[in-house]
Amino acid sequence: MRKLGSKPIWCTTWVVCRGVGACQTCSVPDVIVSRSIPASAAALWALVSDLPRMGEWSPENVGGSWQKGATGPSVGAKFTGNNKNGTKSWSTTVTVTECDPGEQFGFCVTVGPIKVARWHYLFTDNGDGTTTVTESWTEQRPGFAKLIGGKASGVADRAAFNRTSMETTLRNLEAAVC
């Protein structure tokens, strides 16, 4: 696990979402996947942080749009994410929480006032022309929202589904740069 000081990397921002309250301040991810990709950390970060293009890599997200005057990634920027699984579709509000070009990118997801998840990408330059991209997902839904979310998205086991989807996302990201 990469650490910054004495904290795991996903704990680098203790007051996340800049007062929006969309994320817990520090928690261990539920799912973590990594892939070494033959590209620079800067190039991969630029692709992942371009949220309107996320649908090109993700099997569930189909894109979206920046909101409230945001035109790209920055801490506090808002984004509406559009998702689809089979015949089910839904939108979420995304708030960028970490935005360090070439190093890390993270965001919190909500539906209305309900916390849904925290997503984080870490980019580690391997020194050999490859970068290890580590994607993590942290569940933040309360129990009732898990039940409703499962029915709304068609996904009964969100952690298992996300693990498979995250592995696909990183494979698709690699295909985009190779």
Side-chain angles (χ1 to χ4, degrees):
M1 170 186 354
R2 181 173 170 190
K3 293 187 179 226
L4 184 65
S6 62
K7 298 177 283 184
I9 195 70
W10 52 82
C11 293
T12 60
T13 304
W14 289 101
V15 182
V16 292
C17 296
R18 307 290 186 225
V20 174
C23 284
Q24 296 172 356
T25 56
C26 184
S27 55
V28 176
D30 293 284
V31 179
I32 302 171
V33 299
S34 295
R35 187 173 188 92
S36 182
I37 299 175
S40 72
L44 293 166
W45 185 92
L47 292 175
V48 167
S49 65
D50 187 356
L51 291 179
R53 293 188 65 193
M54 185 60 79
E56 295 176 40
W57 341 120
S58 170
E60 186 173 60
N61 177 269
V62 293
S65 58
W66 292 105
Q67 300 298 316
K68 300 186 183 215
T71 58
S74 64
V75 171
K78 300 254 187 220
F79 182 83
T80 297
N82 300 316
N83 303 287
K84 184 172 177 152
N85 180 34
T87 60
K88 310 278 186 176
S89 61
W90 65 98
S91 294
T92 60
T93 300
V94 173
T95 303
V96 175
T97 56
E98 290 94 14
C99 190
D100 300 312
E103 294 181 20
Q104 66 174 334
F105 183 69
F107 53 88
C108 296
V109 178
T110 60
V111 173
I114 301 170
K115 297 176 186 180
V116 175
R118 180 176 187 282
W119 292 87
H120 187 263
Y121 295 83
L122 178 65
F123 303 87
T124 305
D125 184 337
N126 296 323
D128 61 359
T130 67
T131 299
T132 298
V133 180
T134 302
E135 180 179 11
S136 63
W137 168 77
T138 307
E139 171 76 78
Q140 294 194 314
R141 297 174 299 168
F144 75 91
K146 290 179 187 178
L147 178 63
I148 294 167
K151 292 183 185 307
S153 67
V155 176
D157 185 343
R158 178 49 71 178
F161 181 86
N162 279 0
R163 177 174 300 283
T164 300
S165 293
M166 291 159 68
E167 290 166 350
T168 300
T169 296
L170 295 184
R171 274 195 310 276
N172 291 342
L173 187 62
E174 179 176 15
V177 296
C178 291

